Each structure stands twice: as structure tokens, then as C-alpha cells.
Amino acid sequence: MHLLHLFHLLVIRLLIWPLILASADTDPADLHALKDLGRNLVGGPVPSWSGDDPCGAATWRYIQCEGASVVGIHLENAKLSGQLPPSLNQMVNLQVIALQGNNFTGPLPSFRGLSSLRYVYMSFNSFTLIPADFFVGMASSVIEIALDYSPLNASSGGWALDPSAFVHLTNLRTLSLTATHLSGHLPHTLGNLPNLQNLHLAYNYLNGSIPESFASAAFVSLQLNNQQGPSPLSGTVEAVGSMLALSELWLHVNAFSGSIPETLGSLVSLTDCRLNDNDLVGTIPLSFTRSLSLKTLALQNNHLIGAIPSIPSLTSANFTFSGNGLCSDTIGRECSEEVNALVSFLAGIDFPPDLATSWMGNNPCLWTGISCNPKSGAVVTINLPGRRLSGTISPALANLTSLQNLVLDNNNLTGVIPAALASLPSLRRIFIRNNNLAPPLPAFQPGKLVYLSGNPELDSSPSGAESPKTSEGGPENLVPLASNIPATRSMPFVPPDTA
């Protein structure tokens, strides 16, 4: 029986051993690439790879296999240096390459032809060159790419993203290229990738504006902050207000302008919003006050005006707003009624930069184009002719109860003259020539002088030909609407009454 048992074991071993050998023989291309890599590694501790079968019984450390194929290289944070061999792109079954946290130098390898590649982690190294086909050659299976903090192409002025290089990366979820000397414009194609959630391009040399395609992107985390060079990212931030999945928004230390979209505060997942150190104008959107998710809001060092709303989800440490033109430093304190009225007027004309950056604080008597009664301090004149203003005249001007003169000649204003202006008791003169205002005209009381020539729709309107009466009444004292008075290209300053 004993001899029979030994015979059976021998037969089983002879039958199984070829299968074991077959499953243990590592793909020759993988073996060749790993040996090339091993010869290039310096620093320590260098992995002690020995033998010719990294996927065999004595699996090589840091190497992940499936059968005879190498599917993962895990050398993260191993204090290694050296250059990567070009033969890495022969590892056709490679799924993960994790080399982050070392000091590798030289060019990044091309990954063209690696049809199974899914995760590329190569951040925090010292790579100096990125191949022109680095993204073009990647398989559509790639899910995450992280190359942060390497001086790629620094000696030749940096590198740019080819918009056509990403169209096939439909499974890409994370693209992280922070501090890699990236320059040029943001490719609009990134906004069309259906699964891209994390786009991190901070501390580079990007310029231009945020593409319109980003408005419909599925971004959860967008980091574009701290662009270097004389011309950082600029333009409006309107697109970010439509990113419905957004949780983290870092746009700080750039040159973004325009106002903060009201829709931004309504994003239900937004937790971290950093817009500080830009050229943003306008007010802090009240939609932030209704947010349940927001934990950080940084708005310091812009040109924001108006009041600081109380946002229940924020603590004072996580809500920063210094270095603006807000009417108060106290959260929740209202501005004066006249400031509110003038801020609403600015909102109606879309916060033109020259006014939005000078109408700051809580004393409108110091603002460009505003004159006040020296005794009462009340606003009596708005004098803004020929400033290329566009938009509509806000009905909030009716809250300026001491207003006497409204001078808005030679702009591009549209809409109607607010009917509420007719109720202002002190308003005497309205200069609105050479705009694009439309009827109907408000029912101004007799004695008001309204200069409106050069508004095509008003010139041809029956209401535009009406002549209000003076307070004395009677046909001999009619004071016509001054449509027949020639318009000048700019109106002189209209002095306020001081009585």
C-alpha cells in the first residue's frame, strides 16, 4: 500500500507540474521591462528582484500579477530615483503603475499600446519631459491620471494640453496635473468627458477663460487656483454655477472678473468654495445663506460690495471676506438704504468694472458720479454719461428719496424707465439721451424735465411726444419733453441743489 501511495503521488505531480510551470512563467515582455526598470533604480531600498519569474512562486516584491501577466507595479514612496525605461509600454496587461513619492527623473514613458491600463500614479517626482503622445496613446480604459509636482518641459517653457488628446478617454475620472509647468488654455474637450469628476490643474501657467463646456461637466472637484505668470486665468466664473455635482471649487489667486453667480450658492453638494484674490465684483449672493452643505467660503481680496450675509452653515473661521469694498465688517449688518439702492442700480447694469471697483464702502458721497447734499449727506445726483453702460435702470433708484438729477446720456441702456421714478418728489431732471430705452414713459408730474432724444423706440412712440405741464399748468407754461434739444456726447456735471 505504501508503494502504491507513492506511485499515485508521483503520477499526480507529473500531471500537475507542467501546469504549475505554465502558470508561473512570466510573460517575457513583462520580465524584460521589469529587469530594465530594476537596472535603472537607485536609492533605497532598491527591491531585491532575483530570478526570472516575478509572477512565479517567489513573487517579486511590489509586483502584482494575474497568472503570467504583470498587472501592477507598486513602488510608491520608496525613496527611489533613476529613469524609467521605455520598455514599460510593452507590458500590455499592465493595469496599475504607482510610482508616486519618489525622485524619478528624465522623460515620462509613453503608454501607447497599454490597452488594459487604468491607474497612473506618478506624482511627486522630478520628471523633466512629457512625450507629445502621452495622452493620445493612452487606452480608453484609463480611470485616473496623476502627474502632480514634476517640472515637465520646464527648460523649454512648459507644455500644453492638446484638446483632441482627451476625446477618447471616456472613462477618465481623475486628471491631476498640479504644478507641472502646464501652459496655454483649458481644453474645452475636458468639459465633454462624461465621467471626469476631479480636475486638478493648480499652480501652473494656464491663461484664458473657463470654457463654456465646463458648465455641463460632472466635476465634483475643480482646482484651478494659483496660476503663475503675468496672465493667469481670467474671464467670468459663470460656468461654475451650473456644475450640479460640484463639491470643491478652488479658483483663488487668479484674475477672474465679473460677479459671483447666484446659482453657485444653490449647489446642494458644495462644501468648499475658494474665490479669494481675484477681481470679482458685485455682491455676495444671498443663495449662500440657504446652503446646508457649505463649510468653507473664501472671498477675501476681491472688489465685492454691499452687505455680508449671515450664512448659518459657516463658522467665522471658515468665512473670510476682508480686502473688499463691503459696507460693513460685521456679518449680517445691513447697508444704508441709499447704498442698497445704488448697488441694485449697479446690478441692473451688470456691475461695470470701473464703477464696481470704486463704489465701495458705506458712503456713496465719495463714489464716482455721485453727488450729495452737503448738509444732509443725501444723494441728489447720479451723473454717469458716456460710460458705455448696458443693461436696465433699476427701480430701486426710487429709494433715493432726495434724488434731483439723473444723468445717463450716451450709454447703451435698454428696457423701460422705471415707473417708480415718477414718485420721487425731488427729481427734477432726467437725461437719458442716446440709449435704447423703450416705452412706455412713466407719468411724471408737471415740471419735470426729461431729455430723451436718440432713443429710437421712444422717438417714434406717441408717449415720447407728450409734453408734461409745469406745476403752474396752462398751455402758455408747457414744458416739453426735451426731445428737440440736441444731444451732446457727454453731459456736464449737474450741480445739486444745496437747499
Side-chain angles (χ1 to χ4, degrees), residues 44-78:
V46 174
S48 54
W49 292 341
S50 59
D52 293 325
D53 197 6
C55 295
T59 304
W60 287 9
R61 191 179 180 188
Y62 309 117
I63 301 303
Q64 177 186 358
C65 295
E66 288 183 2
S69 297
V70 175
V71 296
I73 301 175
H74 298 272
L75 289 170
E76 59 268 26
N77 303 310

PDB file of all heavy atoms in Angstrom, residues 44-78:
ATOM      1  N   GLY A  44      17.139  53.921  -2.203  1.00  0.00           N
ATOM      2  CA  GLY A  44      16.911  52.743  -1.408  1.00  0.00           C
ATOM      3  C   GLY A  44      15.636  52.780  -0.590  1.00  0.00           C
ATOM      4  O   GLY A  44      15.015  53.809  -0.414  1.00  0.00           O
ATOM      5  N   PRO A  45      15.275  51.596  -0.133  1.00  0.00           N
ATOM      6  CA  PRO A  45      15.952  50.336  -0.518  1.00  0.00           C
ATOM      7  C   PRO A  45      15.502  49.856  -1.896  1.00  0.00           C
ATOM      8  O   PRO A  45      14.311  49.797  -2.173  1.00  0.00           O
ATOM      9  CB  PRO A  45      15.500  49.354   0.567  1.00  0.00           C
ATOM     10  CG  PRO A  45      14.152  49.883   1.000  1.00  0.00           C
ATOM     11  CD  PRO A  45      14.213  51.376   0.865  1.00  0.00           C
ATOM     12  N   VAL A  46      16.466  49.571  -2.773  1.00  0.00           N
ATOM     13  CA  VAL A  46      16.133  49.032  -4.088  1.00  0.00           C
ATOM     14  C   VAL A  46      15.598  47.613  -3.902  1.00  0.00           C
ATOM     15  O   VAL A  46      16.180  46.814  -3.174  1.00  0.00           O
ATOM     16  CB  VAL A  46      17.385  49.012  -4.997  1.00  0.00           C
ATOM     17  CG1 VAL A  46      17.083  48.319  -6.321  1.00  0.00           C
ATOM     18  CG2 VAL A  46      17.884  50.425  -5.223  1.00  0.00           C
ATOM     19  N   PRO A  47      14.460  47.304  -4.517  1.00  0.00           N
ATOM     20  CA  PRO A  47      13.899  45.961  -4.330  1.00  0.00           C
ATOM     21  C   PRO A  47      14.849  44.880  -4.847  1.00  0.00           C
ATOM     22  O   PRO A  47      15.477  45.030  -5.898  1.00  0.00           O
ATOM     23  CB  PRO A  47      12.599  46.003  -5.143  1.00  0.00           C
ATOM     24  CG  PRO A  47      12.764  47.135  -6.098  1.00  0.00           C
ATOM     25  CD  PRO A  47      13.622  48.137  -5.396  1.00  0.00           C
ATOM     26  N   SER A  48      14.946  43.815  -4.087  1.00  0.00           N
ATOM     27  CA  SER A  48      15.858  42.712  -4.452  1.00  0.00           C
ATOM     28  C   SER A  48      15.103  41.736  -5.338  1.00  0.00           C
ATOM     29  O   SER A  48      14.585  40.717  -4.878  1.00  0.00           O
ATOM     30  CB  SER A  48      16.352  42.013  -3.182  1.00  0.00           C
ATOM     31  OG  SER A  48      15.262  41.601  -2.379  1.00  0.00           O
ATOM     32  N   TRP A  49      15.013  42.091  -6.631  1.00  0.00           N
ATOM     33  CA  TRP A  49      14.337  41.229  -7.587  1.00  0.00           C
ATOM     34  C   TRP A  49      15.367  40.233  -8.145  1.00  0.00           C
ATOM     35  O   TRP A  49      16.378  40.611  -8.728  1.00  0.00           O
ATOM     36  CB  TRP A  49      13.762  42.048  -8.733  1.00  0.00           C
ATOM     37  CG  TRP A  49      12.615  42.945  -8.296  1.00  0.00           C
ATOM     38  CD1 TRP A  49      11.863  42.840  -7.185  1.00  0.00           C
ATOM     39  CD2 TRP A  49      12.116  44.082  -9.017  1.00  0.00           C
ATOM     40  NE1 TRP A  49      10.920  43.820  -7.130  1.00  0.00           N
ATOM     41  CE2 TRP A  49      11.040  44.610  -8.247  1.00  0.00           C
ATOM     42  CE3 TRP A  49      12.452  44.702 -10.207  1.00  0.00           C
ATOM     43  CZ2 TRP A  49      10.317  45.726  -8.647  1.00  0.00           C
ATOM     44  CZ3 TRP A  49      11.736  45.804 -10.610  1.00  0.00           C
ATOM     45  CH2 TRP A  49      10.673  46.316  -9.840  1.00  0.00           C
ATOM     46  N   SER A  50      15.114  38.984  -7.924  1.00  0.00           N
ATOM     47  CA  SER A  50      16.037  37.945  -8.404  1.00  0.00           C
ATOM     48  C   SER A  50      15.249  36.879  -9.143  1.00  0.00           C
ATOM     49  O   SER A  50      14.043  36.717  -8.948  1.00  0.00           O
ATOM     50  CB  SER A  50      16.805  37.314  -7.233  1.00  0.00           C
ATOM     51  OG  SER A  50      15.910  36.737  -6.307  1.00  0.00           O
ATOM     52  N   GLY A  51      15.947  36.160  -9.970  1.00  0.00           N
ATOM     53  CA  GLY A  51      15.301  35.119 -10.747  1.00  0.00           C
ATOM     54  C   GLY A  51      14.667  35.681 -12.007  1.00  0.00           C
ATOM     55  O   GLY A  51      14.789  36.858 -12.334  1.00  0.00           O
ATOM     56  N   ASP A  52      13.986  34.804 -12.728  1.00  0.00           N
ATOM     57  CA  ASP A  52      13.382  35.175 -13.998  1.00  0.00           C
ATOM     58  C   ASP A  52      11.879  34.947 -14.019  1.00  0.00           C
ATOM     59  O   ASP A  52      11.295  34.794 -15.095  1.00  0.00           O
ATOM     60  CB  ASP A  52      14.029  34.371 -15.131  1.00  0.00           C
ATOM     61  CG  ASP A  52      15.487  34.746 -15.343  1.00  0.00           C
ATOM     62  OD1 ASP A  52      15.807  35.938 -15.174  1.00  0.00           O
ATOM     63  OD2 ASP A  52      16.282  33.839 -15.662  1.00  0.00           O
ATOM     64  N   ASP A  53      11.278  34.922 -12.842  1.00  0.00           N
ATOM     65  CA  ASP A  53       9.846  34.608 -12.818  1.00  0.00           C
ATOM     66  C   ASP A  53       9.130  35.452 -11.759  1.00  0.00           C
ATOM     67  O   ASP A  53       8.751  34.954 -10.697  1.00  0.00           O
ATOM     68  CB  ASP A  53       9.662  33.119 -12.540  1.00  0.00           C
ATOM     69  CG  ASP A  53       8.274  32.634 -12.905  1.00  0.00           C
ATOM     70  OD1 ASP A  53       7.496  33.435 -13.470  1.00  0.00           O
ATOM     71  OD2 ASP A  53       7.971  31.469 -12.638  1.00  0.00           O
ATOM     72  N   PRO A  54       8.952  36.760 -12.009  1.00  0.00           N
ATOM     73  CA  PRO A  54       8.323  37.623 -10.997  1.00  0.00           C
ATOM     74  C   PRO A  54       6.908  37.208 -10.643  1.00  0.00           C
ATOM     75  O   PRO A  54       6.414  37.559  -9.575  1.00  0.00           O
ATOM     76  CB  PRO A  54       8.346  39.001 -11.657  1.00  0.00           C
ATOM     77  CG  PRO A  54       8.588  38.779 -13.100  1.00  0.00           C
ATOM     78  CD  PRO A  54       9.361  37.512 -13.211  1.00  0.00           C
ATOM     79  N   CYS A  55       6.250  36.459 -11.519  1.00  0.00           N
ATOM     80  CA  CYS A  55       4.893  36.006 -11.218  1.00  0.00           C
ATOM     81  C   CYS A  55       4.849  34.551 -10.754  1.00  0.00           C
ATOM     82  O   CYS A  55       3.769  33.959 -10.649  1.00  0.00           O
ATOM     83  CB  CYS A  55       3.993  36.167 -12.451  1.00  0.00           C
ATOM     84  SG  CYS A  55       3.733  37.872 -12.972  1.00  0.00           S
ATOM     85  N   GLY A  56       6.027  33.975 -10.482  1.00  0.00           N
ATOM     86  CA  GLY A  56       6.083  32.580 -10.058  1.00  0.00           C
ATOM     87  C   GLY A  56       5.819  32.426  -8.575  1.00  0.00           C
ATOM     88  O   GLY A  56       5.249  33.285  -7.911  1.00  0.00           O
ATOM     89  N   ALA A  57       6.296  31.319  -8.053  1.00  0.00           N
ATOM     90  CA  ALA A  57       6.048  31.005  -6.645  1.00  0.00           C
ATOM     91  C   ALA A  57       6.670  32.055  -5.733  1.00  0.00           C
ATOM     92  O   ALA A  57       6.093  32.440  -4.721  1.00  0.00           O
ATOM     93  CB  ALA A  57       6.597  29.618  -6.330  1.00  0.00           C
ATOM     94  N   ALA A  58       7.876  32.520  -6.094  1.00  0.00           N
ATOM     95  CA  ALA A  58       8.547  33.562  -5.306  1.00  0.00           C
ATOM     96  C   ALA A  58       8.266  34.923  -5.956  1.00  0.00           C
ATOM     97  O   ALA A  58       9.099  35.507  -6.646  1.00  0.00           O
ATOM     98  CB  ALA A  58      10.038  33.296  -5.230  1.00  0.00           C
ATOM     99  N   THR A  59       7.043  35.400  -5.770  1.00  0.00           N
ATOM    100  CA  THR A  59       6.604  36.646  -6.412  1.00  0.00           C
ATOM    101  C   THR A  59       7.515  37.802  -6.029  1.00  0.00           C
ATOM    102  O   THR A  59       7.892  37.955  -4.865  1.00  0.00           O
ATOM    103  CB  THR A  59       5.164  36.973  -5.998  1.00  0.00           C
ATOM    104  OG1 THR A  59       4.329  35.868  -6.318  1.00  0.00           O
ATOM    105  CG2 THR A  59       4.649  38.216  -6.719  1.00  0.00           C
ATOM    106  N   TRP A  60       7.876  38.608  -7.003  1.00  0.00           N
ATOM    107  CA  TRP A  60       8.711  39.775  -6.724  1.00  0.00           C
ATOM    108  C   TRP A  60       7.920  40.800  -5.913  1.00  0.00           C
ATOM    109  O   TRP A  60       6.736  41.050  -6.176  1.00  0.00           O
ATOM    110  CB  TRP A  60       9.160  40.418  -8.034  1.00  0.00           C
ATOM    111  CG  TRP A  60      10.205  39.623  -8.767  1.00  0.00           C
ATOM    112  CD1 TRP A  60      10.630  38.352  -8.473  1.00  0.00           C
ATOM    113  CD2 TRP A  60      10.922  40.053  -9.913  1.00  0.00           C
ATOM    114  NE1 TRP A  60      11.591  37.956  -9.359  1.00  0.00           N
ATOM    115  CE2 TRP A  60      11.809  38.993 -10.268  1.00  0.00           C
ATOM    116  CE3 TRP A  60      10.949  41.217 -10.669  1.00  0.00           C
ATOM    117  CZ2 TRP A  60      12.670  39.060 -11.349  1.00  0.00           C
ATOM    118  CZ3 TRP A  60      11.814  41.301 -11.749  1.00  0.00           C
ATOM    119  CH2 TRP A  60      12.669  40.239 -12.077  1.00  0.00           C
ATOM    120  N   ARG A  61       8.638  41.364  -4.951  1.00  0.00           N
ATOM    121  CA  ARG A  61       8.018  42.371  -4.094  1.00  0.00           C
ATOM    122  C   ARG A  61       7.626  43.594  -4.930  1.00  0.00           C
ATOM    123  O   ARG A  61       8.346  43.987  -5.851  1.00  0.00           O
ATOM    124  CB  ARG A  61       8.979  42.773  -2.986  1.00  0.00           C
ATOM    125  CG  ARG A  61       8.341  43.622  -1.895  1.00  0.00           C
ATOM    126  CD  ARG A  61       9.349  43.947  -0.824  1.00  0.00           C
ATOM    127  NE  ARG A  61       8.766  44.755   0.242  1.00  0.00           N
ATOM    128  CZ  ARG A  61       9.449  45.302   1.226  1.00  0.00           C
ATOM    129  NH1 ARG A  61      10.765  45.120   1.291  1.00  0.00           N
ATOM    130  NH2 ARG A  61       8.839  46.000   2.154  1.00  0.00           N
ATOM    131  N   TYR A  62       6.506  44.170  -4.608  1.00  0.00           N
ATOM    132  CA  TYR A  62       5.958  45.372  -5.245  1.00  0.00           C
ATOM    133  C   TYR A  62       5.334  45.094  -6.610  1.00  0.00           C
ATOM    134  O   TYR A  62       4.882  46.012  -7.286  1.00  0.00           O
ATOM    135  CB  TYR A  62       7.006  46.490  -5.424  1.00  0.00           C
ATOM    136  CG  TYR A  62       7.775  46.828  -4.172  1.00  0.00           C
ATOM    137  CD1 TYR A  62       9.150  46.641  -4.105  1.00  0.00           C
ATOM    138  CD2 TYR A  62       7.122  47.343  -3.057  1.00  0.00           C
ATOM    139  CE1 TYR A  62       9.873  46.954  -2.962  1.00  0.00           C
ATOM    140  CE2 TYR A  62       7.827  47.651  -1.904  1.00  0.00           C
ATOM    141  CZ  TYR A  62       9.198  47.459  -1.861  1.00  0.00           C
ATOM    142  OH  TYR A  62       9.892  47.770  -0.715  1.00  0.00           O
ATOM    143  N   ILE A  63       5.337  43.842  -7.034  1.00  0.00           N
ATOM    144  CA  ILE A  63       4.796  43.485  -8.339  1.00  0.00           C
ATOM    145  C   ILE A  63       3.512  42.681  -8.143  1.00  0.00           C
ATOM    146  O   ILE A  63       3.459  41.749  -7.339  1.00  0.00           O
ATOM    147  CB  ILE A  63       5.806  42.660  -9.160  1.00  0.00           C
ATOM    148  CG1 ILE A  63       7.100  43.452  -9.356  1.00  0.00           C
ATOM    149  CG2 ILE A  63       5.211  42.279 -10.508  1.00  0.00           C
ATOM    150  CD1 ILE A  63       6.915  44.800 -10.013  1.00  0.00           C
ATOM    151  N   GLN A  64       2.476  43.076  -8.883  1.00  0.00           N
ATOM    152  CA  GLN A  64       1.186  42.397  -8.807  1.00  0.00           C
ATOM    153  C   GLN A  64       0.944  41.654 -10.114  1.00  0.00           C
ATOM    154  O   GLN A  64       1.106  42.216 -11.198  1.00  0.00           O
ATOM    155  CB  GLN A  64       0.066  43.421  -8.567  1.00  0.00           C
ATOM    156  CG  GLN A  64      -1.331  42.841  -8.533  1.00  0.00           C
ATOM    157  CD  GLN A  64      -2.391  43.932  -8.432  1.00  0.00           C
ATOM    158  OE1 GLN A  64      -2.066  45.121  -8.350  1.00  0.00           O
ATOM    159  NE2 GLN A  64      -3.650  43.551  -8.437  1.00  0.00           N
ATOM    160  N   CYS A  65       0.590  40.373 -10.000  1.00  0.00           N
ATOM    161  CA  CYS A  65       0.391  39.542 -11.186  1.00  0.00           C
ATOM    162  C   CYS A  65      -1.012  38.951 -11.208  1.00  0.00           C
ATOM    163  O   CYS A  65      -1.664  38.783 -10.178  1.00  0.00           O
ATOM    164  CB  CYS A  65       1.401  38.393 -11.225  1.00  0.00           C
ATOM    165  SG  CYS A  65       3.126  38.912 -11.419  1.00  0.00           S
ATOM    166  N   GLU A  66      -1.424  38.631 -12.402  1.00  0.00           N
ATOM    167  CA  GLU A  66      -2.592  37.776 -12.629  1.00  0.00           C
ATOM    168  C   GLU A  66      -2.167  36.718 -13.619  1.00  0.00           C
ATOM    169  O   GLU A  66      -1.934  37.016 -14.789  1.00  0.00           O
ATOM    170  CB  GLU A  66      -3.772  38.590 -13.164  1.00  0.00           C
ATOM    171  CG  GLU A  66      -4.418  39.489 -12.128  1.00  0.00           C
ATOM    172  CD  GLU A  66      -5.633  40.229 -12.668  1.00  0.00           C
ATOM    173  OE1 GLU A  66      -5.992  39.995 -13.854  1.00  0.00           O
ATOM    174  OE2 GLU A  66      -6.218  41.029 -11.924  1.00  0.00           O
ATOM    175  N   GLY A  67      -2.012  35.502 -13.127  1.00  0.00           N
ATOM    176  CA  GLY A  67      -1.471  34.458 -13.962  1.00  0.00           C
ATOM    177  C   GLY A  67      -0.027  34.786 -14.316  1.00  0.00           C
ATOM    178  O   GLY A  67       0.796  35.097 -13.457  1.00  0.00           O
ATOM    179  N   ALA A  68       0.290  34.769 -15.592  1.00  0.00           N
ATOM    180  CA  ALA A  68       1.647  35.043 -16.039  1.00  0.00           C
ATOM    181  C   ALA A  68       1.864  36.507 -16.406  1.00  0.00           C
ATOM    182  O   ALA A  68       2.947  36.879 -16.844  1.00  0.00           O
ATOM    183  CB  ALA A  68       1.970  34.172 -17.247  1.00  0.00           C
ATOM    184  N   SER A  69       0.836  37.335 -16.228  1.00  0.00           N
ATOM    185  CA  SER A  69       0.911  38.739 -16.633  1.00  0.00           C
ATOM    186  C   SER A  69       1.121  39.653 -15.433  1.00  0.00           C
ATOM    187  O   SER A  69       0.489  39.482 -14.382  1.00  0.00           O
ATOM    188  CB  SER A  69      -0.370  39.153 -17.355  1.00  0.00           C
ATOM    189  OG  SER A  69      -0.548  38.419 -18.537  1.00  0.00           O
ATOM    190  N   VAL A  70       1.999  40.621 -15.594  1.00  0.00           N
ATOM    191  CA  VAL A  70       2.163  41.674 -14.587  1.00  0.00           C
ATOM    192  C   VAL A  70       1.066  42.703 -14.807  1.00  0.00           C
ATOM    193  O   VAL A  70       0.958  43.294 -15.884  1.00  0.00           O
ATOM    194  CB  VAL A  70       3.554  42.327 -14.696  1.00  0.00           C
ATOM    195  CG1 VAL A  70       3.655  43.506 -13.730  1.00  0.00           C
ATOM    196  CG2 VAL A  70       4.645  41.312 -14.410  1.00  0.00           C
ATOM    197  N   VAL A  71       0.265  42.936 -13.770  1.00  0.00           N
ATOM    198  CA  VAL A  71      -0.845  43.887 -13.889  1.00  0.00           C
ATOM    199  C   VAL A  71      -0.641  45.117 -13.010  1.00  0.00           C
ATOM    200  O   VAL A  71      -1.385  46.099 -13.139  1.00  0.00           O
ATOM    201  CB  VAL A  71      -2.194  43.218 -13.541  1.00  0.00           C
ATOM    202  CG1 VAL A  71      -2.510  42.110 -14.537  1.00  0.00           C
ATOM    203  CG2 VAL A  71      -2.194  42.689 -12.110  1.00  0.00           C
ATOM    204  N   GLY A  72       0.351  45.082 -12.120  1.00  0.00           N
ATOM    205  CA  GLY A  72       0.563  46.232 -11.259  1.00  0.00           C
ATOM    206  C   GLY A  72       2.009  46.386 -10.833  1.00  0.00           C
ATOM    207  O   GLY A  72       2.681  45.387 -10.542  1.00  0.00           O
ATOM    208  N   ILE A  73       2.508  47.628 -10.855  1.00  0.00           N
ATOM    209  CA  ILE A  73       3.822  47.971 -10.298  1.00  0.00           C
ATOM    210  C   ILE A  73       3.572  48.969  -9.183  1.00  0.00           C
ATOM    211  O   ILE A  73       3.056  50.060  -9.425  1.00  0.00           O
ATOM    212  CB  ILE A  73       4.744  48.582 -11.369  1.00  0.00           C
ATOM    213  CG1 ILE A  73       4.937  47.609 -12.536  1.00  0.00           C
ATOM    214  CG2 ILE A  73       6.088  48.944 -10.760  1.00  0.00           C
ATOM    215  CD1 ILE A  73       5.730  48.204 -13.685  1.00  0.00           C
ATOM    216  N   HIS A  74       3.925  48.598  -7.950  1.00  0.00           N
ATOM    217  CA  HIS A  74       3.615  49.416  -6.779  1.00  0.00           C
ATOM    218  C   HIS A  74       4.914  49.792  -6.062  1.00  0.00           C
ATOM    219  O   HIS A  74       5.369  49.105  -5.152  1.00  0.00           O
ATOM    220  CB  HIS A  74       2.691  48.651  -5.832  1.00  0.00           C
ATOM    221  CG  HIS A  74       1.365  48.298  -6.446  1.00  0.00           C
ATOM    222  ND1 HIS A  74       0.270  49.130  -6.407  1.00  0.00           N
ATOM    223  CD2 HIS A  74       0.974  47.194  -7.135  1.00  0.00           C
ATOM    224  CE1 HIS A  74      -0.753  48.564  -7.030  1.00  0.00           C
ATOM    225  NE2 HIS A  74      -0.352  47.379  -7.488  1.00  0.00           N
ATOM    226  N   LEU A  75       5.497  50.893  -6.480  1.00  0.00           N
ATOM    227  CA  LEU A  75       6.749  51.373  -5.880  1.00  0.00           C
ATOM    228  C   LEU A  75       6.559  52.764  -5.273  1.00  0.00           C
ATOM    229  O   LEU A  75       7.476  53.572  -5.237  1.00  0.00           O
ATOM    230  CB  LEU A  75       7.848  51.415  -6.951  1.00  0.00           C
ATOM    231  CG  LEU A  75       8.373  50.065  -7.424  1.00  0.00           C
ATOM    232  CD1 LEU A  75       9.255  50.238  -8.649  1.00  0.00           C
ATOM    233  CD2 LEU A  75       9.145  49.362  -6.309  1.00  0.00           C
ATOM    234  N   GLU A  76       5.363  53.033  -4.783  1.00  0.00           N
ATOM    235  CA  GLU A  76       5.078  54.359  -4.242  1.00  0.00           C
ATOM    236  C   GLU A  76       5.845  54.622  -2.947  1.00  0.00           C
ATOM    237  O   GLU A  76       6.038  53.731  -2.116  1.00  0.00           O
ATOM    238  CB  GLU A  76       3.572  54.544  -4.008  1.00  0.00           C
ATOM    239  CG  GLU A  76       2.930  53.552  -3.063  1.00  0.00           C
ATOM    240  CD  GLU A  76       2.369  52.331  -3.770  1.00  0.00           C
ATOM    241  OE1 GLU A  76       2.869  51.974  -4.867  1.00  0.00           O
ATOM    242  OE2 GLU A  76       1.438  51.719  -3.210  1.00  0.00           O
ATOM    243  N   ASN A  77       6.328  55.871  -2.814  1.00  0.00           N
ATOM    244  CA  ASN A  77       7.004  56.344  -1.598  1.00  0.00           C
ATOM    245  C   ASN A  77       8.148  55.424  -1.169  1.00  0.00           C
ATOM    246  O   ASN A  77       8.335  55.141   0.014  1.00  0.00           O
ATOM    247  CB  ASN A  77       5.991  56.483  -0.454  1.00  0.00           C
ATOM    248  CG  ASN A  77       4.842  57.402  -0.808  1.00  0.00           C
ATOM    249  OD1 ASN A  77       5.057  58.518  -1.272  1.00  0.00           O
ATOM    250  ND2 ASN A  77       3.614  56.935  -0.604  1.00  0.00           N
ATOM    251  N   ALA A  78       8.925  54.961  -2.139  1.00  0.00           N
ATOM    252  CA  ALA A  78      10.012  54.020  -1.859  1.00  0.00           C
ATOM    253  C   ALA A  78      11.387  54.691  -1.841  1.00  0.00           C
ATOM    254  O   ALA A  78      12.401  53.998  -1.774  1.00  0.00           O
ATOM    255  CB  ALA A  78       9.997  52.893  -2.888  1.00  0.00           C
TER     256      ALA A  78
END
